[in-house]
Amino acid sequence: MHGSMLRHCAVAGLAVVMLAGPVHAKKPFIVGVQVGSSNPENQGFSSVGDSIDSLDPDALATRFPTAAFDFVDADLDFRGIDIGMTFGQGTGLLDFNVAQLGFQQTFGRSCDPVLPGDCRLARKQALREVRDFLETNPQFLKRMLTALARFSPIDPLAGNPDSLFSRSSRADFQQGFTHKVSQIWGCNTTAFN
């Protein structure tokens, strides 16, 4: 009886393991996109570059056929910091803003919606300019890193229990706080003998 019960438990456990789907970690960069009057869609990405590339008109066209010239509103959750990117109807100008920094800048150029593909090309250019800006602007990157340390719950510098800041603080505490330091003076003893 005991062996039969053990066998049933083992088979049930194996079935649970086999039927369980793969576990996926949450992607640190989430982009919510709305094109025209469509319903907003969210996608997760592993890098900022992939997040920006997802707004390419050709990439969006697979889900939104009017993405090359229609209104596009994208909200990027950059590890806890909200970044807004918006293309207006029939334009290649991209409004880029980071509310937590009070930062707003426009990238790209105007386009002629009558010329075939002009808005698509202008939007591609605007996205390239944003990538270049993020990769080459040290002042903006410093502001972003400071904001990440302040606002992000998963920032590797200060936003989680295993962050660099937390580990450094723990190490300092462990180096300076010993059992002798914690003793109370009295009975003719000092904390350091």
Side-chain angles (χ1 to χ4, degrees), residues 6-160:
L6 186 60
R7 212 172 310 123
H8 287 305
C9 288
V11 170
L14 183 61
V16 167
V17 169
M18 290 176 65
L19 293 175
V23 177
H24 298 286
K26 182 180 176 186
K27 304 274 183 162
F29 306 102
I30 307 297
V31 178
V33 179
Q34 181 175 7
V35 177
S37 60
S38 69
N39 291 328
E41 290 185 10
N42 291 331
Q43 278 188 297
F45 297 94
S46 298
S47 72
V48 176
D50 291 344
S51 303
I52 292 172
D53 290 345
S54 74
L55 301 177
D56 183 274
D58 295 335
L60 286 176
T62 59
R63 298 184 329 263
F64 307 104
T66 61
F69 59 87
D70 212 343
F71 172 81
V72 176
D73 185 31
D75 292 316
L76 168 62
D77 180 354
F78 182 76
R79 296 185 349 216
I81 294 180
D82 296 322
I83 298 174
M85 294 182 277
T86 305
F87 283 110
Q89 173 79 28
T91 184
L93 296 172
L94 175 66
D95 290 326
F96 179 87
N97 69 70
V98 183
Q100 282 110 329
L101 299 179
F103 180 84
Q104 194 280 327
Q105 187 166 335
T106 302
F107 296 93
R109 63 175 175 82
S110 297
C111 66
D112 187 350
V114 177
L115 292 175
D118 190 45
C119 286
R120 183 178 66 78
L121 293 174
R123 289 182 177 195
K124 284 178 167 289
Q125 176 186 338
L127 292 169
R128 272 193 307 274
E129 289 176 15
V130 168
R131 275 188 86 132
D132 291 345
F133 174 77
L134 292 174
E135 292 172 357
T136 62
N137 190 314
Q139 293 86 12
F140 181 77
L141 292 178
K142 181 180 177 185
R143 290 179 67 195
M144 282 293 289
L145 290 173
T146 303
L148 282 170
R150 181 175 178 197
F151 295 114
S152 177
I154 62 169
D155 182 64
L157 291 178
N160 64 63

